[in-house]
Amino acid sequence: MVLTFTRLPNTLNSFRNAIAFSNKVRFLATKPADSLFSDLTKSVDEKNKLNKNNNNNSVAVADENDAATIQYVSPENDSKLQEFLNPKPYLTINTLLTPLKREIYLANVSKNGFFKNNELTKLKDGNSYTLKLTNDQIQALEPSIYLRSWRIKASIKKTNIVLRALKDLPLKKAITQLHFMEKKVARDLVEMLERGVKDAEKMNYNVDDLYIAESWVHTDGSWVKRVDCKGRGRAGVLTFKWVSVRFLLKTKQTKNRLAYLANKRDSQKSVSSFITNGKIRGNAPGFYRW
């Protein structure tokens, strides 16, 4: 009997190749410097050595020319931030009036101390003009400072008590009064009015001429409510109130104009009398007996 193995050579070749591959893998895995995939990736030890040499255990600094880098800018050197925090004043005289009207307005104010409607004003060129403005235009042209607060931890009722005490007070006197008030909201209002003093210096206003013309207090509408736990299973509602305050500061120019208009209204009032021009008949009424 004769046995024939036709596929034996192929089986031996595949077995030999498998043994050679396993020896090669064992040799690669035992190499200390390289990994199993040394041709594709670098070892961890080499990466650590490179990082230690380049960075020296410090944070890497990006190149300034790289557009994706984020560079630190201090708040003092940030131009956009400074423009937002310190906006330029809105010059109403240059925007609301033409050059001729502006010259007439300034000449009228320098002559009377405030603006008078329909008054003949003589300019430097020798010509005389009259200028008529509405009440809203006059108020917009007069120098003023608008202050707006942040969120203040107080209620509208408590803040109104303080604001009524500051009505029509000079700015410096109002700051002094707030320093001696025992109300908690007075501390925040002092900081607001002190900002008004700095704004007046920037706009070249006389601080001694400023006074509090108007003030408002309102809520921002986002009050927080919490549960107020009480005894015997009862509960209430705690409301944390926040308000915002606004001031409008004006100068003596506005106060002098308002005083002039009040005197003018009083002088033009008709005198009321109960005595008639008719003849007296019969007994004289009571207002004739003196």
Side-chain angles (χ1 to χ4, degrees), residues 15 27 37 45 53 57 90 111 119 152 195 206 213 257:
F15 182 72
F27 173 74
F37 306 97
D45 296 333
N53 295 331
N57 294 330
Y90 182 67
K111 177 183 176 182
E119 186 181 41
I152 299 176
R195 281 193 286 130
N206 189 2
R257 180 180 63 84

Side-chain angles (χ1 to χ4, degrees), residues 47-163:
K47 288 183 179 180
N48 293 334
K49 290 180 181 179
L50 291 174
N51 292 332
K52 288 181 180 179
N53 295 331
N54 295 334
N55 301 334
N56 209 4
N57 294 330
S58 61
V59 179
V61 179
D63 189 7
E64 295 182 355
N65 298 326
D66 190 4
T69 57
I70 300 176
Q71 298 180 3
Y72 175 76
V73 179
S74 61
E76 295 80 7
N77 299 329
D78 193 351
S79 59
K80 293 185 178 180
L81 178 62
Q82 293 301 325
E83 288 178 2
F84 176 76
L85 296 177
N86 303 313
K88 294 182 180 179
Y90 182 67
L91 302 178
T92 55
I93 297 179
N94 297 330
T95 54
L96 296 180
L97 297 179
T98 60
L100 179 59
K101 288 184 177 181
R102 181 167 61 248
E103 189 176 357
I104 298 170
Y105 175 82
L106 294 175
N108 193 334
V109 171
S110 61
K111 177 183 176 182
N112 304 314
F114 56 91
F115 179 74
K116 286 185 180 181
N117 254 335
N118 295 326
E119 186 181 41
L120 191 65
T121 306
K122 188 175 182 179
L123 302 182
K124 295 180 180 180
D125 56 0
N127 298 326
S128 298
Y129 301 92
T130 58
L131 180 62
K132 182 179 180 180
L133 300 174
T134 61
N135 191 23
D136 294 338
Q137 289 176 341
I138 294 174
Q139 290 182 2
L141 291 171
E142 288 174 344
S144 61
I145 296 175
Y146 179 74
L147 299 175
R148 183 176 179 179
S149 74
W150 48 89
R151 298 184 72 197
I152 299 176
K153 185 71 175 66
S155 64
I156 296 176
K157 186 176 180 180
K158 294 178 181 179
T159 309
N160 257 329
I161 297 173
V162 181
L163 294 182

